[in-house]
């Protein structure tokens, strides 16, 4: 959620011509990360949860790419880029760890299920 807030604050300073382009795309990709985690968790199914976390990982990659593009286009300075790199690295590690944890839980559940 902190990453999403930071994206919204940064993109508010993007040129008005980017409102329906990079601004919108970056915001949607950022919002997609926590939204997919919440949706997957609320489905109460490990496989579905893992799938939604996988989608969140994809959105994370999209955010990283769009931040790079925003820097190349001069919409973000080096200081902002550094701050976003720290945030996105942290979010990426958390998402990867969550995904691994869910996958391990899924494997453990399969091992403990009695055979017919």
């Amino acid at each position: 959620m902190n990453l999403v807030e930071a994206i919204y604050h940064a993109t508010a300073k993007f040129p008005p011509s980017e409102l329906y382009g990079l601004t919108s795309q970056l915001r949607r990709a950022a919002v997609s990360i926590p939204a997919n985690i919440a949706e997957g968790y609320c489905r109460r199914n490990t496989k579905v949860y893992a799938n939604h976390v996988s989608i969140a990982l994809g959105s994370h990659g999209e955010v990283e790419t769009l931040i790079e593009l925003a820097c190349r286009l001069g919409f973000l300075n080096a200081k902002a880029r550094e701050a976003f790199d720290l945030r996105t690295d942290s979010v990426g590690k958390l998402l990867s760890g969550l995904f691994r944890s869910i996958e391990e839980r899924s494997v453990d559940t399969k091992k403990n299920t009695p055979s017919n």
Side-chain angles (χ1 to χ4, degrees):
M1 297 293 283
N2 292 336
L3 176 61
V4 176
E5 287 180 51
I7 296 271
Y8 265 78
H9 290 297
T11 56
K13 298 172 188 154
F14 283 13
S17 63
E18 286 300 321
L19 184 60
Y20 301 107
L22 190 57
T23 299
S24 176
Q25 189 69 25
L26 188 47
R27 287 178 175 184
R28 281 182 295 161
V31 167
S32 176
I33 297 169
N36 271 291
I37 293 167
E39 182 179 352
Y41 179 78
C42 288
R43 297 277 180 104
R44 309 260 190 239
N45 178 298
T46 305
K47 186 175 180 180
V48 172
Y49 188 23
N51 184 58
H52 277 76
V53 173
S54 175
I55 293 167
L57 279 161
S59 294
H60 172 264
E62 187 177 357
V63 166
E64 288 182 316
T65 301
L66 294 169
I67 287 171
E68 170 69 23
L69 181 57
C71 290
R72 289 180 180 209
L73 294 172
F75 302 154
L76 293 173
N77 62 31
K79 185 178 177 183
R81 172 62 187 266
E82 255 183 69
F84 275 120
D85 283 348
L86 290 172
R87 283 182 192 264
T88 57
D89 286 350
S90 175
V91 169
K93 287 175 184 174
L94 289 168
L95 285 171
S96 294
L98 177 59
F99 186 78
R100 275 191 309 275
S101 172
I102 295 167
E103 289 288 294
E104 287 170 7
R105 193 174 341 145
S106 178
V107 169
D108 288 344
T109 302
K110 288 177 185 174
K111 286 180 182 177
N112 294 328
T113 304
S115 306
N116 289 337

